[in-house]
Coordinates of all heavy atoms in Angstrom, one line a residue:
C1 N -46.1 5.1 31.1 CA -45.3 5.5 29.9 C -44.5 4.3 29.4 O -44.0 3.5 30.2 CB -44.3 6.6 30.3 SG -45.1 8.1 31.0
L2 N -44.4 4.2 28.1 CA -43.7 3.2 27.4 C -42.5 3.8 26.8 O -42.7 4.7 25.9 CB -44.6 2.5 26.4 CG -44.0 1.3 25.7 CD1 -43.7 0.1 26.7 CD2 -44.9 0.8 24.6
D3 N -41.3 3.4 27.2 CA -40.1 4.1 26.6 C -39.7 3.4 25.3 O -40.3 2.4 24.8 CB -38.9 4.1 27.6 CG -38.3 2.8 27.9 OD1 -38.5 1.8 27.2 OD2 -37.6 2.7 28.9
T4 N -38.6 3.9 24.6 CA -38.2 3.4 23.3 C -37.7 2.0 23.4 O -37.5 1.3 22.4 CB -37.1 4.3 22.7 OG1 -36.0 4.4 23.6 CG2 -37.7 5.7 22.4
E5 N -37.3 1.5 24.6 CA -36.8 0.1 24.8 C -37.9 -0.8 25.1 O -37.7 -2.0 25.4 CB -35.7 0.1 25.8 CG -34.5 1.0 25.5 CD -33.6 1.2 26.6 OE1 -33.8 0.7 27.7 OE2 -32.5 1.9 26.4
G6 N -39.2 -0.3 25.2 CA -40.3 -1.2 25.5 C -40.6 -1.4 26.9 O -41.4 -2.2 27.3
K7 N -39.9 -0.6 27.8 CA -40.1 -0.7 29.2 C -41.2 0.2 29.7 O -41.3 1.3 29.2 CB -38.8 -0.4 30.0 CG -37.6 -1.3 29.7 CD -36.4 -0.9 30.4 CE -35.2 -1.8 30.0 NZ -33.9 -1.3 30.6
I8 N -42.0 -0.3 30.6 CA -43.1 0.5 31.2 C -42.6 1.3 32.4 O -41.9 0.7 33.3 CB -44.3 -0.4 31.5 CG1 -44.8 -1.0 30.2 CG2 -45.4 0.5 32.2 CD1 -45.9 -2.0 30.4
H9 N -42.9 2.6 32.5 CA -42.6 3.4 33.7 C -43.9 4.0 34.3 O -44.7 4.4 33.5 CB -41.6 4.5 33.3 CG -40.3 3.9 32.7 ND1 -39.3 3.6 33.5 CD2 -40.0 3.7 31.4 CE1 -38.3 3.1 32.7 NE2 -38.7 3.2 31.5
E10 N -43.9 4.1 35.6 CA -45.1 4.7 36.3 C -45.0 6.2 36.1 O -44.0 6.8 36.1 CB -45.1 4.3 37.7 CG -45.3 2.9 38.0 CD -45.4 2.5 39.5 OE1 -45.6 3.5 40.3 OE2 -45.2 1.4 39.8
F11 N -46.2 6.9 36.2 CA -46.3 8.3 36.2 C -45.5 8.8 37.5 O -45.6 8.2 38.5 CB -47.8 8.8 36.3 CG -48.6 8.5 35.1 CD1 -49.8 7.9 35.1 CD2 -48.1 8.8 33.8 CE1 -50.6 7.7 34.0 CE2 -48.8 8.6 32.7 CZ -50.1 8.0 32.8
G12 N -44.8 9.9 37.3 CA -44.0 10.4 38.4 C -42.6 9.8 38.6 O -41.9 10.2 39.5
S13 N -42.3 8.8 37.8 CA -41.0 8.1 38.0 C -39.9 8.7 37.1 O -40.2 9.5 36.2 CB -41.1 6.6 37.6 OG -41.4 6.4 36.2
S14 N -38.7 8.5 37.5 CA -37.6 9.0 36.7 C -36.5 7.9 36.7 O -36.4 7.1 37.6 CB -37.0 10.3 37.3 OG -36.6 10.1 38.7
W15 N -35.6 8.0 35.7 CA -34.6 7.0 35.5 C -33.5 7.5 34.5 O -33.7 8.5 33.9 CB -35.2 5.7 34.9 CG -35.8 5.8 33.5 CD1 -35.1 5.5 32.4 CD2 -37.0 6.3 33.2 NE1 -36.0 5.8 31.3 CE2 -37.1 6.2 31.8 CE3 -38.1 6.8 33.9 CZ2 -38.3 6.7 31.1 CZ3 -39.2 7.2 33.2 CH2 -39.3 7.2 31.8
R16 N -32.4 6.8 34.5 CA -31.3 7.1 33.5 C -31.3 5.9 32.6 O -31.2 4.8 32.9 CB -30.0 7.3 34.2 CG -28.9 7.6 33.2 CD -27.6 8.0 33.9 NE -27.8 9.4 34.4 CZ -27.0 10.0 35.2 NH1 -25.8 9.5 35.6 NH2 -27.2 11.3 35.6
N17 N -31.4 6.2 31.3 CA -31.4 5.2 30.3 C -30.0 4.8 29.8 O -29.0 5.3 30.3 CB -32.3 5.5 29.1 CG -31.7 6.7 28.2 OD1 -30.6 7.0 28.3 ND2 -32.6 7.2 27.4
D18 N -29.9 3.8 28.9 CA -28.6 3.3 28.5 C -27.7 4.3 27.7 O -26.5 4.1 27.5 CB -28.8 2.0 27.6 CG -29.3 0.8 28.4 OD1 -29.2 0.9 29.7 OD2 -29.9 -0.1 27.8
N19 N -28.4 5.4 27.2 CA -27.7 6.4 26.5 C -27.3 7.6 27.4 O -27.0 8.7 26.9 CB -28.5 6.9 25.3 CG -28.7 5.8 24.3 OD1 -27.7 5.0 24.0 ND2 -29.9 5.7 23.7
C20 N -27.3 7.4 28.7 CA -26.9 8.4 29.7 C -27.9 9.6 29.6 O -27.4 10.8 29.9 CB -25.5 8.9 29.5 SG -24.3 7.6 29.8
N21 N -29.1 9.4 29.3 CA -30.1 10.4 29.4 C -31.0 10.3 30.7 O -31.3 9.1 31.0 CB -31.1 10.4 28.2 CG -30.4 10.7 26.9 OD1 -29.6 11.7 26.9 ND2 -30.6 10.0 25.9
D22 N -31.3 11.4 31.3 CA -32.2 11.3 32.5 C -33.6 11.5 32.0 O -33.9 12.5 31.3 CB -31.8 12.4 33.5 CG -30.5 12.1 34.2 OD1 -30.2 10.9 34.4 OD2 -29.8 13.0 34.7
C23 N -34.5 10.6 32.3 CA -35.8 10.6 31.8 C -36.8 10.7 32.9 O -36.5 10.2 34.0 CB -36.1 9.4 30.9 SG -35.0 9.3 29.5
S24 N -38.0 11.2 32.6 CA -39.1 11.1 33.6 C -40.4 10.9 32.9 O -40.5 11.2 31.7 CB -39.2 12.4 34.4 OG -39.4 13.5 33.5
C25 N -41.4 10.4 33.6 CA -42.7 10.0 33.0 C -43.7 10.9 33.7 O -43.8 10.9 35.0 CB -42.9 8.5 33.2 SG -44.6 8.0 32.9
S26 N -44.6 11.5 32.9 CA -45.7 12.3 33.5 C -46.9 11.9 32.6 O -46.8 11.2 31.6 CB -45.5 13.8 33.4 OG -45.4 14.2 32.1
R27 N -48.1 12.4 33.0 CA -49.3 12.2 32.2 C -49.2 12.7 30.8 O -49.9 12.3 29.9 CB -50.5 12.7 32.9 CG -50.8 11.9 34.2 CD -52.2 12.1 34.7 NE -52.3 11.4 36.0 CZ -52.6 10.1 36.1 NH1 -52.7 9.3 35.1 NH2 -52.7 9.6 37.3
G28 N -48.3 13.7 30.6 CA -48.0 14.3 29.3 C -47.1 13.5 28.4 O -46.9 13.8 27.3
G29 N -46.4 12.5 29.0 CA -45.5 11.6 28.3 C -44.1 11.5 28.9 O -44.0 11.9 30.1
I30 N -43.2 11.1 28.1 CA -41.8 10.9 28.6 C -41.0 12.1 28.1 O -41.1 12.5 27.0 CB -41.2 9.6 28.1 CG1 -41.9 8.4 28.7 CG2 -39.7 9.6 28.4 CD1 -41.4 7.1 28.2
G31 N -40.2 12.7 29.0 CA -39.2 13.7 28.7 C -37.8 13.2 29.1 O -37.6 12.7 30.2
C32 N -36.8 13.5 28.2 CA -35.5 13.1 28.5 C -34.5 14.2 28.2 O -34.8 15.0 27.2 CB -35.1 11.8 27.7 SG -36.0 10.3 28.0
C33 N -33.4 14.3 28.9 CA -32.3 15.2 28.6 C -31.0 14.5 29.0 O -31.0 13.6 29.7 CB -32.5 16.5 29.3 SG -32.5 16.4 31.1
T34 N -29.9 15.1 28.4 CA -28.6 14.5 28.7 C -28.3 14.7 30.1 O -28.6 15.7 30.7 CB -27.5 15.1 27.8 OG1 -27.5 16.5 28.0 CG2 -27.7 14.8 26.3
S35 N -27.6 13.7 30.7 CA -27.2 13.8 32.1 C -25.7 14.3 32.3 O -25.2 14.3 33.4 CB -27.3 12.4 32.7 OG -26.4 11.5 32.1
Y36 N -25.1 14.7 31.2 CA -23.7 15.0 31.2 C -23.4 16.3 30.5 O -24.2 16.8 29.7 CB -22.9 13.9 30.5 CG -23.4 13.5 29.1 CD1 -22.9 14.2 28.0 CD2 -24.3 12.5 29.0 CE1 -23.4 13.9 26.8 CE2 -24.8 12.2 27.7 CZ -24.3 12.9 26.6 OH -24.8 12.6 25.3
A37 N -22.3 16.9 30.8 CA -21.8 18.1 30.1 C -20.8 17.7 29.0 O -20.1 16.7 29.2 CB -21.2 19.1 31.0
R38 N -20.8 18.4 27.9 CA -19.9 18.1 26.8 C -18.8 19.2 26.7 O -19.2 20.4 26.7 CB -20.7 18.1 25.5 CG -20.0 17.6 24.3 CD -21.0 17.4 23.1 NE -22.0 18.4 23.0 CZ -21.9 19.5 22.2 NH1 -20.8 19.7 21.5 NH2 -22.9 20.4 22.2
P39 N -17.6 18.8 26.6 CA -16.5 19.8 26.5 C -16.5 20.5 25.1 O -16.6 19.8 24.1 CB -15.2 19.0 26.7 CG -15.6 17.6 26.2 CD -17.0 17.5 26.5
V40 N -16.4 21.8 25.1 CA -16.4 22.5 23.8 C -15.2 23.5 23.6 O -14.9 23.8 22.4 CB -17.7 23.3 23.5 CG1 -18.9 22.4 23.4 CG2 -18.0 24.3 24.7
D41 N -14.6 23.9 24.7 CA -13.5 24.9 24.5 C -12.3 24.3 25.2 O -12.0 24.4 26.4 CB -13.9 26.2 25.2 CG -12.8 27.3 25.0 OD1 -11.9 27.1 24.2 OD2 -12.9 28.3 25.7
Y42 N -11.5 23.6 24.3 CA -10.2 23.0 24.7 C -9.3 23.0 23.5 O -9.8 23.2 22.3 CB -10.4 21.7 25.3 CG -11.0 20.6 24.4 CD1 -10.2 19.8 23.7 CD2 -12.4 20.4 24.4 CE1 -10.8 18.8 22.8 CE2 -12.9 19.5 23.5 CZ -12.1 18.7 22.8 OH -12.7 17.7 21.9
D43 N -8.0 22.6 23.6 CA -7.1 22.6 22.5 C -7.4 21.3 21.7 O -6.9 20.2 22.0 CB -5.7 22.6 23.1 CG -4.6 22.6 22.0 OD1 -4.9 22.4 20.8 OD2 -3.4 22.9 22.4
K44 N -8.1 21.5 20.6 CA -8.5 20.3 19.8 C -7.4 19.8 18.9 O -7.5 18.6 18.5 CB -9.8 20.7 18.9 CG -11.0 20.9 19.8 CD -12.2 21.2 18.9 CE -13.5 21.4 19.8 NZ -13.5 22.5 20.6
E45 N -6.3 20.5 18.7 CA -5.2 20.0 18.0 C -4.4 19.0 18.9 O -3.9 18.0 18.4 CB -4.3 21.2 17.5 CG -5.0 21.9 16.4 CD -4.0 23.0 15.8 OE1 -2.8 22.8 15.9 OE2 -4.6 24.0 15.3
K46 N -4.2 19.4 20.1 CA -3.4 18.6 21.0 C -4.2 17.5 21.8 O -3.7 16.5 22.2 CB -2.7 19.6 22.0 CG -1.8 18.9 23.0 CD -1.3 20.0 24.0 CE -0.5 19.3 25.1 NZ 0.0 20.3 26.1
C47 N -5.5 17.8 22.0 CA -6.3 17.0 22.9 C -7.5 16.4 22.2 O -7.9 16.9 21.1 CB -6.8 17.8 24.1 SG -5.4 18.6 24.9
E48 N -8.1 15.4 22.8 CA -9.4 14.8 22.3 C -10.3 14.5 23.5 O -9.8 14.2 24.6 CB -9.1 13.5 21.5 CG -8.5 12.4 22.3 CD -8.1 11.2 21.4 OE1 -8.8 11.0 20.4 OE2 -7.2 10.4 21.8
S49 N -11.6 14.5 23.2 CA -12.6 14.1 24.3 C -13.0 12.7 24.1 O -13.2 12.2 23.0 CB -13.8 15.1 24.2 OG -14.5 14.9 23.0
I50 N -13.1 12.0 25.2 CA -13.5 10.6 25.2 C -14.7 10.4 26.1 O -14.6 10.9 27.3 CB -12.3 9.7 25.7 CG1 -11.1 9.8 24.7 CG2 -12.8 8.2 25.8 CD1 -9.9 9.2 25.2
F51 N -15.8 9.8 25.6 CA -17.0 9.6 26.4 C -17.0 8.2 27.0 O -16.7 7.3 26.4 CB -18.2 9.8 25.6 CG -19.5 9.8 26.3 CD1 -19.9 10.8 27.1 CD2 -20.3 8.6 26.3 CE1 -21.0 10.8 27.9 CE2 -21.5 8.6 27.0 CZ -21.8 9.7 27.8
S52 N -17.3 8.2 28.3 CA -17.4 6.9 29.0 C -18.9 6.7 29.4 O -19.5 7.4 30.1 CB -16.6 7.0 30.3 OG -17.0 5.9 31.2
K53 N -19.5 5.6 28.8 CA -20.9 5.2 29.1 C -21.0 4.7 30.6 O -22.0 4.7 31.1 CB -21.4 4.2 28.1 CG -22.0 4.8 26.9 CD -22.9 3.8 26.2 CE -23.8 4.5 25.2 NZ -24.7 3.6 24.6
E54 N -19.9 4.2 31.1 CA -19.9 3.7 32.5 C -20.1 4.9 33.5 O -20.9 4.7 34.4 CB -18.6 3.0 32.8 CG -18.5 1.6 32.4 CD -17.2 0.9 32.8 OE1 -16.6 1.4 33.8 OE2 -16.8 -0.1 32.2
T55 N -19.5 6.0 33.3 CA -19.6 7.1 34.2 C -20.5 8.2 33.6 O -20.8 9.2 34.3 CB -18.3 7.7 34.5 OG1 -17.7 8.2 33.3 CG2 -17.3 6.7 35.1
C56 N -21.0 8.1 32.4 CA -21.8 9.1 31.7 C -21.1 10.5 31.7 O -21.7 11.5 32.1 CB -23.2 9.2 32.3 SG -24.2 7.7 32.0
S57 N -19.8 10.5 31.4 CA -19.1 11.7 31.4 C -18.0 11.7 30.4 O -17.6 10.6 29.9 CB -18.5 12.0 32.8 OG -17.5 11.0 33.1
Y58 N -17.5 12.9 30.0 CA -16.4 13.1 29.1 C -15.1 13.3 29.9 O -15.1 13.9 31.0 CB -16.6 14.3 28.2 CG -17.5 14.0 27.0 CD1 -18.8 14.3 27.0 CD2 -17.0 13.5 25.8 CE1 -19.6 14.1 26.0 CE2 -17.8 13.3 24.7 CZ -19.1 13.6 24.8 OH -19.9 13.4 23.7
K59 N -14.0 12.9 29.3 CA -12.7 13.2 29.8 C -11.9 13.7 28.6 O -12.1 13.2 27.5 CB -12.0 11.9 30.3 CG -10.8 12.0 31.0 CD -10.3 10.7 31.5 CE -9.1 10.9 32.5 NZ -8.7 9.6 33.0
V60 N -11.2 14.8 28.8 CA -10.4 15.4 27.8 C -8.9 15.1 28.1 O -8.4 15.5 29.1 CB -10.7 16.9 27.6 CG1 -9.8 17.5 26.5 CG2 -12.2 17.1 27.4
V61 N -8.3 14.4 27.1 CA -6.9 14.0 27.3 C -6.0 14.3 26.1 O -6.6 14.6 25.0 CB -6.8 12.5 27.6 CG1 -7.5 12.1 28.9 CG2 -7.4 11.7 26.4
E62 N -4.7 14.3 26.3 CA -3.8 14.5 25.2 C -3.9 13.4 24.2 O -4.0 12.2 24.6 CB -2.4 14.7 25.7 CG -2.1 15.9 26.5 CD -0.6 16.1 26.8 OE1 0.2 15.3 26.4 OE2 -0.3 17.1 27.6
K63 N -3.9 13.7 22.9 CA -4.0 12.6 21.9 C -2.9 11.6 22.0 O -3.1 10.4 21.8 CB -4.0 13.3 20.5 CG -5.3 14.0 20.2 CD -5.2 14.7 18.8 CE -6.5 15.4 18.6 NZ -6.5 16.1 17.2
N64 N -1.7 12.1 22.3 CA -0.5 11.2 22.3 C -0.3 10.5 23.7 O 0.5 9.6 23.8 CB 0.7 12.0 22.0 CG 0.7 12.5 20.5 OD1 0.1 11.9 19.7 ND2 1.3 13.7 20.3
D65 N -1.0 11.0 24.7 CA -0.8 10.4 26.1 C -2.1 10.5 26.8 O -2.4 11.5 27.5 CB 0.3 11.1 26.8 CG 0.7 10.4 28.1 OD1 -0.1 9.5 28.6 OD2 1.7 10.9 28.7
H66 N -2.9 9.5 26.8 CA -4.2 9.5 27.5 C -4.2 9.6 29.0 O -5.2 9.8 29.6 CB -5.1 8.3 27.0 CG -5.6 8.4 25.7 ND1 -6.5 7.5 25.1 CD2 -5.4 9.3 24.7 CE1 -6.8 7.9 23.9 NE2 -6.1 9.0 23.6
S67 N -3.0 9.5 29.6 CA -2.9 9.6 31.0 C -2.8 11.1 31.4 O -2.9 11.4 32.6 CB -1.6 8.9 31.5 OG -0.5 9.5 31.1
K68 N -2.6 12.0 30.5 CA -2.5 13.4 30.7 C -3.8 14.1 30.3 O -4.2 14.1 29.2 CB -1.3 14.1 30.0 CG 0.0 13.6 30.5 CD 1.1 14.2 29.7 CE 2.5 13.7 30.2 NZ 3.6 14.3 29.4
E69 N -4.5 14.7 31.4 CA -5.7 15.4 31.1 C -5.4 16.9 30.6 O -4.4 17.4 30.9 CB -6.6 15.5 32.3 CG -7.2 14.2 32.7 CD -8.3 14.2 33.7 OE1 -9.1 15.2 33.6 OE2 -8.4 13.4 34.6
C70 N -6.3 17.4 29.8 CA -6.2 18.7 29.2 C -7.2 19.6 29.9 O -8.3 19.2 30.3 CB -6.5 18.7 27.7 SG -5.4 17.7 26.7
P71 N -6.8 20.9 30.0 CA -7.8 21.9 30.6 C -9.0 22.1 29.6 O -8.8 22.2 28.4 CB -6.9 23.1 30.8 CG -5.8 23.0 29.9 CD -5.5 21.5 29.7
V72 N -10.1 22.2 30.2 CA -11.3 22.6 29.4 C -11.9 23.9 30.0 O -12.1 24.0 31.2 CB -12.4 21.5 29.6 CG1 -13.7 21.8 28.8 CG2 -11.9 20.1 29.1
H73 N -12.1 24.9 29.1 CA -12.5 26.2 29.5 C -14.0 26.4 29.5 O -14.5 27.2 30.2 CB -11.8 27.2 28.6 CG -10.3 27.1 28.6 ND1 -9.5 27.4 29.6 CD2 -9.5 26.6 27.6 CE1 -8.3 27.1 29.3 NE2 -8.2 26.7 28.1
T74 N -14.7 25.6 28.7 CA -16.2 25.7 28.6 C -16.8 24.3 28.4 O -16.3 23.5 27.6 CB -16.6 26.6 27.4 OG1 -16.0 27.8 27.6 CG2 -18.1 26.8 27.4
W75 N -17.9 24.0 29.2 CA -18.6 22.8 29.0 C -20.1 23.2 28.7 O -20.6 24.2 29.2 CB -18.6 22.0 30.3 CG -17.3 21.5 30.8 CD1 -16.3 22.1 31.4 CD2 -16.8 20.1 30.6 NE1 -15.2 21.3 31.6 CE2 -15.5 20.1 31.2 CE3 -17.3 19.0 30.0 CZ2 -14.7 18.9 31.2 CZ3 -16.5 17.8 30.1 CH2 -15.3 17.8 30.6
V76 N -20.8 22.4 27.9 CA -22.2 22.6 27.7 C -23.0 21.4 28.0 O -22.5 20.3 27.8 CB -22.5 23.1 26.2 CG1 -21.9 24.5 26.0 CG2 -22.1 22.1 25.2
G77 N -24.2 21.5 28.3 CA -25.0 20.3 28.6 C -26.3 20.6 29.3 O -26.7 21.6 29.7

């Protein structure tokens, strides 16, 4: 399989790409899906979500103080 970055992968292999997607190669081609959950139910007026490519995860924090995390009631992914 040849991925979008031009890298070759063997059939049956799996990897995480630079966009935090988990991918696998089969004789049918390459399949990828997100490796992280996205926060959808939180106080959007008081808080904001920040994505980290280092950890492939979101953190939801207060807009005025990023050291304070906000509760998230629903995640999708």
Side-chain angles (χ1 to χ4, degrees):
C1 297
L2 184 65
D3 69 16
T4 57
E5 298 170 0
K7 296 178 186 170
I8 297 174
H9 301 273
E10 293 182 18
F11 293 131
S13 66
S14 59
W15 66 96
R16 181 168 287 173
N17 68 17
D18 293 339
N19 293 321
C20 294
N21 292 315
D22 288 333
C23 301
S24 62
C25 170
S26 69
R27 294 199 183 278
I30 293 178
C32 297
C33 61
T34 57
S35 64
Y36 53 87
R38 188 171 41 91
V40 291
D41 184 11
Y42 62 92
D43 185 347
K44 291 180 176 72
E45 287 184 28
K46 181 181 174 185
C47 306
E48 64 183 332
S49 65
I50 299 172
F51 186 74
S52 167
K53 271 197 163 184
E54 279 186 19
T55 61
C56 292
S57 63
Y58 279 95
K59 189 175 188 177
V60 180
V61 294
E62 290 185 8
K63 291 179 180 178
N64 297 329
D65 185 352
H66 285 188
S67 70
K68 294 182 181 177
E69 289 194 40
C70 297
V72 178
H73 306 290
T74 306
W75 296 80
V76 295

